[in-house]
Amino acid sequence: MTSSGRLSNKGDRPNVTVLGAGTMGSAAVRALLSSGCGVTVWNRSPARVAPLAAVGARAASSIGDALAGPAPDVTLVSVLDYPAVREVLGAAGERLAGRVLVNLTTGSPEQARAMADWAGEREAAYLDGAVMATAAGVGRPKTLFLYSGSRRAWEAALPVLRLLGEPQDLGPDAGRAALFETALLDVMWASLTGWLHGAALVGSEGTTATEFTPLVVRWLEEVSGLLHLYAPQVDQGVYPGTDSTLHLHASAIAHLLEASERRGVDTRLVKLYGELTAAAIRSGHRGDGFASLIEQLRAPGPAHRPE
């Protein structure tokens, strides 16, 4: 594969080595095979590899076997955690030199940066990745994958990464993909928990979640518009309450708290809304918009941007 991202092997048929055949690794192997890639796969438990070998993957008996011979276009890693990544790649020894490593193992930004340094010391080009979907989405064109790290690795791996989903490049800081993954999961958990709380609330009077959910989806279309409205406010630190003031939000939250209490629905989440809103009002944001809550959430002092 050339530095421009064009496949260089015969027939432009990429060769990929996949280390780890868990749920996500197996999904990646199947997606790559269905796209015509030559795939070698290794897993600590050979039983995990057998179904993949049955559909065309080459089963490697060891790390050394998996990385024997000429380097593949991409070596993809998907294992339990970052200590496991280092253990697996450490077994490769000098075979890592010159390889393009793409790590899809979930971890923290700090772990990703340390892993990039470790790989760089062994002359490997390292790209950290995050899959923003379940394994069922791997191989679908619109499934979002986040990547950050070595520019050489990004350019070389891009044709293979496109076979897994929609790759988004977040730049040379190897920890950035993990940071964005964590932040996006934050949004998911908050959204799903709010939906579950709402379902419990309407469910207390006989409405099913199935009946409630289409209205939630429709409402989220309106909420998505607020994200675009509030984003520049957050960046500029100015929060005009032209759509609704924090004081009005506090009043609505009080109604939600009362409705939840009267119906025996858990109030911990609602009380958190109320506490954040009350703190912002005490800080002088009574007439500001909802985005002013960012002042209660962000770390004090200037934003940290790793060099």
Side-chain angles (χ1 to χ4, degrees):
M1 191 175 289
T2 66
S3 60
S4 63
R6 293 189 297 271
L7 298 169
S8 58
N9 48 307
K10 286 186 178 180
D12 283 351
R13 181 175 182 266
N15 291 310
V16 183
T17 292
V18 178
L19 304 178
T23 302
M24 198 62 71
S26 293
V29 170
R30 292 181 183 277
L32 293 169
L33 287 171
S34 68
S35 298
C37 295
V39 182
T40 295
V41 59
W42 169 89
N43 192 71
R44 195 182 306 275
S45 171
R48 289 271 194 171
V49 178
L52 303 173
V55 293
R58 183 181 83 83
S61 59
S62 65
I63 297 292
D65 180 28
L67 299 179
D73 293 299
V74 174
T75 298
L76 186 69
V77 186
S78 180
V79 292
L80 177 64
D81 53 25
Y82 275 74
V85 173
R86 187 164 299 194
E87 179 184 351
V88 167
L89 294 179
E94 296 180 355
R95 294 186 182 91
L96 291 183
R99 292 182 184 268
V100 173
L101 302 177
V102 178
N103 182 23
L104 293 180
T105 303
T106 298
S108 70
E110 289 70 27
Q111 287 177 312
R113 291 173 184 135
M115 195 68 229
D117 291 341
W118 185 91
E121 291 168 359
R122 288 153 182 81
E123 301 180 0
Y126 179 85
L127 198 64
D128 206 80
V131 189
M132 303 312 301
T134 62
V138 176
R140 296 176 182 170
K142 293 300 183 182
T143 296
L144 179 62
F145 282 71
L146 309 177
Y147 297 100
S148 59
S150 161
R151 298 300 81 195
R152 181 171 78 84
W154 165 255
E155 292 173 3
L158 186 56
V160 171
L161 303 183
R162 285 176 173 150
L163 302 177
L164 299 177
E166 182 181 348
Q168 294 287 320
D169 177 24
L170 298 179
D173 174 7
R176 199 165 165 84
L179 180 64
F180 274 57
E181 176 188 26
T182 303
L184 289 172
L185 288 174
D186 184 5
V187 174
M188 180 193 74
W189 289 322
S191 300
L192 289 178
T193 306
W195 166 70
L196 289 170
H197 189 276
L201 190 62
V202 299
S204 69
E205 295 193 358
T207 300
T208 66
T210 301
E211 182 182 357
F212 176 56
T213 297
L215 293 175
V216 175
V217 173
R218 175 65 183 84
W219 175 234
L220 287 175
E221 294 176 6
E222 299 295 328
V223 174
S224 68
L226 293 177
L227 298 180
H228 293 290
L229 175 66
Y230 291 161
Q233 298 179 12
V234 169
D235 291 340
Q236 297 163 17
V238 178
Y239 316 104
T242 51
D243 59 308
S244 183
T245 66
L246 208 55
H247 173 65
L248 292 177
H249 280 286
S251 178
I253 291 169
H255 297 321
L256 174 59
L257 179 61
E258 180 184 1
S260 299
E261 288 175 336
R262 286 184 176 274
R263 288 158 181 80
V265 175
D266 191 287
T267 60
R268 285 173 291 181
L269 186 63
V270 184
K271 287 178 178 177
L272 175 60
Y273 301 156
E275 290 168 3
L276 287 171
T277 304
I281 290 174
R282 289 195 299 271
S283 298
H285 294 288
R286 187 177 190 276
D288 289 341
F290 192 79
S292 63
L293 287 185
I294 188 71
E295 301 295 346
Q296 305 302 312
L297 300 172
R298 61 173 32 133
H304 171 64
R305 291 184 173 85
E307 296 181 359

